[in-house]
Amino acid sequence: MSSWLGGLGSGLGQSLGQVGGSLASLTGQISNFTKDMLMEGAEEVEAELPNSRREEIEAIHAILRSENERLKKLCSDLEEKHEASELQIKHQSTSYRNELQQKEVEISHLKARQIALQDQLLKLQSAAQSVNSGAGSVPTTTASSSSSFNYGISHHAAAFHDDDMDFGDVISSQQEINRLSNEISRLESEVAHWRHIAQISKAQGSNSSDQSEICKLQNIIKELKQNRSQEIDDHQHEMSVLQNAHQQKLAEITRRHREELSEYEERIEELENLLQQGGSGIGVTDYPKIHEMQRTIQVLQTEKVESTKKVEELEDQIKDISRKLLSSENDREVLRKEQERLNVENRQISKECENLKLECSKLQPYAMKQSDTVKEGESILPQSTSLEEEVFRLQQALSDAESEITRLSHLNQDNLTEDNLELKMRVQVLEKENSLLSQEKEELHISLLKLNNEYEEIKSTTVRDMDLDSKLHDLRLNLEAKEQELNQSITEKEVLIAELEELDKQNQEATKHMILIKDQLSKQQNEGDSIINKLKIDLNDEKKRVHQLEDDKMNITKELEMQKEKLIQSELVLNDLHLTKQELEDKIEDLVDQLNKSQNNNLNIQKENFELKEHIKQKEEELSRVRCELTQPLNQDSNSNFKDDLLKEREADIRNLKQNLSEVEQLNENLKKVSFDLKMENEKLVLACEDLRHQLEESIAGNNQISLERNTVLETLKTEKGQLEAELCRAEKRLLEEANKYEQTIEELSDARNLSASALQLEHERLIKLSQEKDLEIAELKKNIEQIDIDHTETKNILSSSLEERKQLTQLINEKEVFIERLKDRSSELQEELDKYTEALRKNEILKQTIEEKDRHLGSMKEENNHLKEELERLREQQSRAAPVAEPKTLDCITELESEVSQLNIIKDNLEEEIKHHRKIIEDQNQSKIQLLQSLQEHKKEMDEFKYQHEQMNVTHTQLLLKKDEEIKTLQKTIEEIKTQLHEERQGIQTDNSNIFQETKVQSLNIENGSEKHDLSKAETERLVKGIKERELEIKLLNEKNLSLTKQIDQLSKDEVGKLTRIIQQKDLEIQALHARVSSVSYSQDIVYLQQQLQAFAMEREQVLAVLNEKTRENSQLKTEYHKMMDIVAAKEAALLKLQDENKKMSTQFEGAGQEMFRETVQNLSRIIREKDIEIDALSQKCQTLLTVLQTSSTSDEVGGVNSNQFEELLQERDKLKQQVKKMEEWKQQVMTTVQNMQHESAQLQEELHQLQAQVLVDSDNNSKLQVDYTGLIQSYEQNETKLKFFGHELAQVQHSIGQLCNTKDLLLGKLDIISPQFSSASSLTSQSAESLKTTKSETLSEASQHEIDELRKLLQEKDAAIRTLQENNHRLSNSIAATSELEKKEHEQTDSEIKQLKEKQDVLQKSLKEKDLLIKAKSDQLLSVNENFTNKVNENELLRQAVTNLKERTLSLEMDICKLKEENEKIVEKTREKETEYQALQETNMKFSMMLQEKEFECHSMKEKALAFEQLLKEKEGETGELNQLLNTVKSMQEKTVTFQQERDQVMLALKQKQMENTAVQNEVQHLRDKELRLNQELERLRNHLLETEDSYTREALAAEDREANLRKKVTALEEKLASSSSAMENASHQANLQVESLQEQLNVVSKQRDETALQLSVSREQVKQYALSLSNLQMVLEHFQQEEKAMYSAELEKHKQLGAEWKKKAENLEGKLMSVQEMAQQRCYQTAETATWRLRRQADKKHGYQRTSQDELRQEMLDDVQKKLMNLVNSTEGKVDKILMRNLFIGHFHTPKNQRHEVLRLMGSILGIKREDMEQLLNEDQGGVTRWMTGWLGGGSKSVPNTPLRPNQQSVFNSSFSELFVKFLETESHPSIPPPKLSVHDMKPLDSPRRRKLDINVPESFKDTTEPRPGRRTDVSPFLAPRSAAVPLMNPAGLGPGGPGHLLLKPISDVLPTFTPLPVSPDNSAGVVLKDLLNQ
């Protein structure tokens, strides 16, 4: 497909290029012309234009050029985008079209359904109108609605198959709509065109012929219109949907944007408000506020610390409270359990009371029992008192908890509001718990009350018991009274006292025995009760444990909830802190902004200060000038007052300015202070924020850890709870079973009470046996325990080894992961290299194409050059021939042409040089290719090494895994064995009796724990072992004691038995104590822990295995990818290098001289062409005039004519040359355009190529396999066809030969028919003689001629016998003929059926082949599509991977930048700190100086005031001049001091100014640094956000990619499964096809073998025919000889007959004479009698004739029936039998036959023995050399059932004779039909006529020949040798005349020709063997 499309594309490109080239040449010529015109104009104008204007134009021109180039680039980019978009659009449009088609199909289906439904509705309506008129209206509407709904749904589905459509999708859909609209317009134009054609055709009058076509076209147009309208509707619908989606998206985006805007606006307003607030109080108010803020922060921090401490304390207190609550709950549970126990005991007491009552009523000595129960009732009293004490203790605990809660509430009131909230929550929880406790308390009170009531009831029962005791006492008194009475009666009855005493003794013994038994039973019952109590206690303990665990769980859950609440609160606090932090940051930003503003103000003020100072200086200068000016007029006018005034004013101005300056300086200082404070606060806040962050992170980490721990604790508790519950359930089950057992034992005991002493003894013996059995069981259990210990140690070892192996596995996995990561990196690098190489390859291919085109161009140019040279030579010759009269213009033309030729030569040389250059480039590329191939091989070697290493690793891993699996299996087996043992032991323990229950209880518990066993600690195991050993020793001792006691019990009395039972009970108690010691809880806990560990290990192992599997899969995938990548990379590297070299060279060439040369040549050519055009016009005009002149002037010179002709030729040649030049230019432009197109297309094509190559490789493999199969099938099919044709030819030949043989047979028959009339005449004579005989006989009957009659009868009998023999022979021959004909028919039918079957098989095979082809095509298409999808997905994955790697690199670079920035930031911070310290020092100095200045100024003021005072004093005291002078002196000194002070002050001021300048500089630097910091922070934040976003996006993409990968993997797996299934199906199909092919080939082989056999048989038959022909000629000779002999014989016989007749006549005459003489008297009577006799004889003869005719049919029928019966009998008797002689003959014949034909003999034997053809062929194939197997299997195990047929007299075994003699013998014995004869119709038989019987009828008398006459129509022969001499012998055996039958009878299967039964004996006289032997001897 791709090649076809490529071909189409190239063809279209060439055609379009040619068209475009022609257009381009035209436009180029026009443009050249216009350029030249403009150039001419420009040359004229250039002189006039000035240089400046020209330069401007050139500049504009250059700009325009650059813009033009830019636009060209844009155009090229846009074209590429357009092409890409077109491809996308095509793809989408195809998908849309497919969907539309699907929808249309669905619509059609739905329409069909709708129509069907409407039809049904109409039917229903018509049916329903009779019943209801308005019933049918509803369904139609429903149907229509349903159909419309379906249509809507389908459309909706089509429209909304992608809900989330982007704007790009909208654009693409718009483009698709535009394209469709263009298509619609095109279709409309086509429709219009067809309409126009139709109208023209109508106008022409071809209406009748084209009407059908017009109708079709109209229908097509209608369909197109409908489709168009549907498409428009669909597209409008889609557009509306897309617009809606787009509008929704826009609305969402605008809404979000508005929300964000509103949020930003609100934020801005808040910030503005803050700014305004800050602006209102910048000066003095901010400072104290900040201080307050700092203080509040510090206070808050301290409070926070305190609150955290308090919270921790409260948590501790809560924990204590919770512990106490737990203890109280445990106590409560204990109470509950005790209560339950009391209830149970109450029930038991009530039951026992009832029993006691019954016993009291029955027997006397059971009073002790009641006293015991009373004691038990009394013991309940202290228990109830203990209960009350426990209740009291619980109440105290509750009161303590409440007091603690109150204390906590008091403490909580002191804390902060947040802590208060938390504490309130906790208090509420505690209150809830308190309420719960109070409820439980109430319940306990209620239970106490109930217990009290029960206690009272028990008391009442005890009172009753006391009453009963009193009654018993009374009864005893009564008894004593009765005994006294009895004694009196005994005294009265002394005779009966002895007997009574004896009875009493016996009774007393019995009662004692009963009492003892009862005591024993009661003790046993007590023991049972104690056991039950213990079990109950255990149960209660377990229940307590469960409850404790549940409570722990509840508490943990509560604590978890508390922790969660704390977490939530901490999160809230965190959020608040974040908010506060953000607010603080905002404030800081505001403050920074304010600082910046203040600094700016400072700067402005400083500037203003400087300006003011300058102004002051100017003013001072002006003042000085003014002073100078003033001094002049003052000197003149002496106006001193005016001067003073001016000075005062100036001084006042100066003071004001100084005051302003001082104020400004103060402001500056204040601002600086404020800024410094702000900085400090900022730093503090930053530190505080960082601390908070750290705390938050720590708290979060702590919370996470706590939550994890809680989760793990919960999980463990859950598991423990589940295990405990399971154990509880088991214990309960056991208790129930034991309770049942105890009940049974109690019942047995109650039954046993009634038994006598003998029963008790039996029970005693049974108990002894049981104890012995228990001892044995104990020994077995000990052994089991030892085995379990051994197993335990083994499992420990195994677990340790498994742990070590697991570690090794983990290490291996880590190594594998490292290796995989390396491979991934390597693959990514290779991918990048691959991409580079692909680009280089593309460039290389483009250059190759250009070079090929250049070569073609050069070739064409060379050809044209040669043509031009030839034409030049011709022109030169013509010039030399031509007269010098030629005009000068022609010479000019020639010169111009020569110049053109020279230019063309120059172009040719250039092109040749370019070609050489290209060749060099190609050579370089080839060298680089070779180098790349070498590098590739090296890479491959490396990859092979890697593979090998990886495979070794995999092998080791698999071995390790197998070992682990085996070990795990062994462990599992051991565990299962232990479980089974434990289970058996448990069952054994459960079956134990109650007597030794205590002894086995601990063991059973241990065994149960053993089922859950694994590593216990060694100390515990040793301890347990010691305990078990001690127990075993004790058990042994006890067993020995038991045995000794059992022996003693037999001797001891009944009292001693009681003591022994007590001792046994004590020992039992000791054993129980031991059990209690051994069965520790830790063992079960350890077992649980071990189980958990085991489960964890199993889980880990499974995980490790899963990871290993995944890693191996990934490894294999990466390997395959790596190999692919390496191959591709190598190829691409080679291609890249080549392309780079070629690119460089090509670019240098093309950029250099090529373009300039091209331009110059084009310009020259254009000029030349213009000149030539002008000259051509002029010359054409002149030529026309000259031609007219020549035509008019008849007397024109020949030379002139020649010149004109030459000139015309030259002009034509020039035109041709011009056309060629134009063509060349066009071709060049075409080449350029095609090159550009190819460059654009090659990029896309290469991508497609790479995709297709992968697919093609897979498809090519599949196709190659399929083609091989297909070609094989086709070849076999063709061979079959050829063979069939060959067989047909052979059949035709065989048929032809058969026809020839038939013709020869007919000829022979004709010859024989000629001989038949003679025989008929002889028969007529015999009949006449018979009639005469009869007449004579009748005449002479009356006389004494009986002797002669007897002789005649004998003769008749002989004749009859001969006739019978003949008839039998006839019968046999007819049967054989029928059989042979039927065999022929059957063979024909078989061959026909076989041919038909072969044809059918061939048809079936053809059909199956076609189906297979279709299947293969479908599968290949599916494979292609799947491969395309897969490659697309792989590309997407690779792109995503590349993107991820790029992003990782970017993030790394960004992180590096961030680190650098951080370092810079730290440096800047350090610098700023240094600057700030300097600044602080300067500020301090400045402050000091300002203080000093203030003091000095103050002093100055005071001094001035003092001076004024002094002046006033001076004025007051003018008189005191001396003092004044002193004062003046002092004043002067003071002034000098002031001056010095002022100077010092000025110096200080200057220093201050310098410091201020430095400060400003420092501030500027700080400002700059802060700005930098801000920027960097912003960038950092932006980068962080960006990173977060990118990470989120990449994680999402990665997740999406993983999902996609998962989906793709699923799809791939599904596809792989499908592929596997399809491949398996394909393989099955191919296998079946192969099988069929093989079967066909086998059949073919069989057929070919048969053909070969037939060919051999034909050759043999031909030889036989030749032999037969020779034998025929011999037979003919013999026949002629026989005929001559027969004639002689016949003549001799005739003479004999004549003589006999004469003798008879004589005798008759004599008799007549005698008769005449004797009976003269009775002549008349005799005559009458003779007449009557003759009449009768005639009548009889007539009747005989009629009878013979009728009897012929009857005879035939009878004979047929007889033959059939005989045949059936023969078949039945000889079925499955083989003749010995036949087999012997065949066996010997096998060795006599040549080696080539021995197989045929073997086949014959096989067919005789009933072996199938296929089996025989297999046997023959197996043993080709000899007959070893055949011999062994045949001679060794021959059939014994074969009858021994005797040899016939003539059948002598002459094995030394020839094959023909043997064959004759064979035919003699075996030529009988094997198939039962069919129903033969007499008329179907071909007559051989009567000449056959001549030989047989020689001895027949004439009177009897009429009987044999009327049966001419029977054929008695089959074989040519068995026919009588007179019969015709056919040349071939009819059995061998079938189309597929063999000629030689030995080569034909015997089942078809020869029988397997014993032959019928034939009399030697009538056998044809004699004749044949004679023949052969001759």
Side-chain angles (χ1 to χ4, degrees), residues 314 317-318 321 325 397-412 423 426-435 437:
L314 285 163
Q317 287 168 2
I318 286 153
I321 290 155
L325 280 166
L398 274 168
S399 63
D400 291 332
E402 281 169 357
S403 64
E404 277 175 358
I405 288 154
T406 51
R407 190 164 58 75
L408 282 165
S409 63
H410 285 301
L411 281 164
N412 287 336
L423 286 164
R426 286 169 189 171
V427 165
Q428 284 172 2
V429 171
L430 288 165
E431 281 172 354
K432 283 176 188 174
E433 286 174 354
N434 198 358
S435 62
L437 284 165

Side-chain angles (χ1 to χ4, degrees), residues 171-188:
I171 290 158
S172 61
S173 60
Q174 188 61 49
Q175 286 171 352
E176 181 68 13
I177 288 153
N178 293 331
R179 194 181 59 69
L180 287 163
S181 62
N182 291 326
E183 278 187 359
I184 287 154
S185 60
R186 187 175 60 71
L187 287 163
E188 283 176 347

Side-chain angles (χ1 to χ4, degrees), residues 391 821 841 999 1647:
V391 169
E821 282 170 357
L841 257 172
E999 288 176 8
V1647 169

Side-chain angles (χ1 to χ4, degrees), residues 1890-1913:
S1890 52
R1892 289 168 295 183
R1893 287 185 215 92
R1894 270 192 193 161
K1895 185 193 165 191
L1896 304 167
D1897 290 343
I1898 292 161
N1899 299 320
V1900 177
E1902 290 171 32
S1903 58
F1904 296 105
K1905 277 180 187 176
D1906 60 345
T1907 56
T1908 60
E1909 220 253 332
R1911 260 175 287 173

Side-chain angles (χ1 to χ4, degrees), residues 1563-1674:
Q1563 279 176 353
N1564 288 326
E1565 281 177 0
V1566 166
Q1567 185 84 32
H1568 185 63
L1569 287 165
R1570 277 178 187 162
D1571 294 331
K1572 257 193 176 180
E1573 270 187 0
L1574 280 164
R1575 280 182 214 144
L1576 288 165
N1577 285 321
Q1578 284 171 0
E1579 281 181 353
L1580 263 169
E1581 283 173 356
R1582 187 176 60 73
L1583 286 164
R1584 273 179 195 159
N1585 292 324
H1586 184 65
L1587 262 169
L1588 286 164
E1589 285 170 0
T1590 48
E1591 280 174 353
D1592 289 329
S1593 62
Y1594 288 133
T1595 47
R1596 281 175 208 151
E1597 283 173 357
L1599 285 164
E1602 282 174 352
D1603 290 315
R1604 279 186 216 145
E1605 268 190 328
N1607 291 323
L1608 282 167
R1609 274 178 185 165
K1610 283 174 186 173
K1611 285 178 185 174
V1612 164
T1613 47
L1615 285 165
E1616 279 174 350
E1617 286 169 359
K1618 282 182 186 174
L1619 262 171
S1621 60
S1622 61
S1623 62
S1624 61
M1626 281 288 286
E1627 281 171 0
N1628 291 326
S1630 61
H1631 185 63
Q1632 287 173 358
N1634 287 326
L1635 287 168
Q1636 286 178 349
V1637 165
E1638 283 169 2
S1639 64
L1640 279 166
Q1641 282 175 345
E1642 284 171 1
Q1643 286 173 1
L1644 263 170
N1645 291 326
V1646 170
V1647 169
S1648 60
K1649 280 177 186 174
Q1650 285 177 355
R1651 187 198 66 193
D1652 296 331
E1653 286 166 14
T1654 47
L1656 286 163
Q1657 286 167 4
L1658 258 173
S1659 60
V1660 171
S1661 62
R1662 278 171 188 163
E1663 287 172 6
Q1664 282 180 351
V1665 162
K1666 284 173 188 175
Q1667 288 173 3
Y1668 290 154
L1670 287 165
S1671 60
L1672 250 178
S1673 58
N1674 291 326

Side-chain angles (χ1 to χ4, degrees), residues 1343 1711-1723 1726:
E1343 295 173 1
L1711 284 163
E1712 281 174 0
K1714 282 176 184 178
L1715 281 163
M1716 287 294 284
S1717 61
V1718 170
Q1719 287 182 349
E1720 286 174 356
M1721 291 292 284
Q1723 276 181 353
C1726 286

Side-chain angles (χ1 to χ4, degrees), residues 1410-1591:
K1410 284 173 186 174
E1411 285 171 0
K1412 289 281 159 60
D1413 289 334
L1414 290 165
L1415 266 168
I1416 289 155
K1417 282 175 186 174
K1419 295 285 174 187
S1420 61
D1421 293 334
Q1422 284 178 1
L1423 259 172
L1424 283 166
S1425 62
V1426 167
N1427 284 324
E1428 281 174 0
N1429 291 327
F1430 188 68
T1431 47
N1432 291 329
K1433 299 291 176 188
V1434 168
N1435 291 325
E1436 283 176 4
N1437 276 332
E1438 284 173 354
L1439 288 167
L1440 286 165
R1441 278 183 190 169
Q1442 285 174 357
V1444 167
T1445 49
N1446 292 328
L1447 287 163
K1448 278 178 185 172
E1449 285 167 3
R1450 278 190 201 166
T1451 49
L1452 284 165
S1453 61
L1454 285 166
E1455 280 170 359
M1456 291 289 283
D1457 293 335
I1458 286 155
C1459 290
K1460 285 175 186 175
L1461 287 165
K1462 277 179 183 174
E1463 286 168 3
E1464 285 172 1
N1465 211 351
E1466 283 168 0
K1467 285 174 187 174
I1468 288 155
V1469 167
E1470 284 171 1
K1471 282 178 186 176
T1472 47
R1473 279 175 189 165
E1474 287 168 4
K1475 294 281 178 186
E1476 277 170 358
T1477 51
E1478 286 172 5
Y1479 187 65
Q1480 282 172 0
L1482 286 165
Q1483 270 189 341
E1484 283 168 4
T1485 51
N1486 205 351
M1487 288 284 281
K1488 284 173 187 174
F1489 277 121
S1490 61
M1491 290 294 281
M1492 289 278 281
L1493 269 167
Q1494 282 171 3
E1495 284 169 5
K1496 293 285 178 189
E1497 278 170 358
F1498 196 76
E1499 282 172 4
C1500 281
H1501 279 294
S1502 62
M1503 289 300 283
K1504 277 177 187 178
E1505 282 167 6
K1506 281 177 186 177
L1508 286 166
F1510 277 123
E1511 277 172 0
Q1512 283 171 2
L1513 281 164
L1514 278 166
K1515 281 172 187 177
E1516 283 170 3
K1517 295 174 183 181
E1518 285 175 350
E1520 294 170 12
T1521 53
E1523 286 173 6
L1524 269 170
N1525 285 326
Q1526 284 174 1
L1527 285 161
L1528 283 165
N1529 287 324
T1530 52
V1531 163
K1532 277 177 185 176
S1533 64
M1534 288 298 283
Q1535 278 177 347
E1536 282 169 2
K1537 281 178 184 177
T1538 52
V1539 167
T1540 54
F1541 276 127
Q1542 278 177 349
Q1543 284 172 358
E1544 283 173 0
R1545 192 191 69 182
D1546 290 332
Q1547 284 171 5
V1548 167
M1549 285 294 284
L1550 284 164
L1552 266 169
K1553 279 175 186 175
Q1554 284 174 357
K1555 291 288 176 184
Q1556 280 177 351
M1557 290 288 280
E1558 283 172 2
N1559 278 332
T1560 51
V1562 166
Q1563 279 176 353
N1564 288 326
E1565 281 177 0
V1566 166
Q1567 185 84 32
H1568 185 63
L1569 287 165
R1570 277 178 187 162
D1571 294 331
K1572 257 193 176 180
E1573 270 187 0
L1574 280 164
R1575 280 182 214 144
L1576 288 165
N1577 285 321
Q1578 284 171 0
E1579 281 181 353
L1580 263 169
E1581 283 173 356
R1582 187 176 60 73
L1583 286 164
R1584 273 179 195 159
N1585 292 324
H1586 184 65
L1587 262 169
L1588 286 164
E1589 285 170 0
T1590 48
E1591 280 174 353

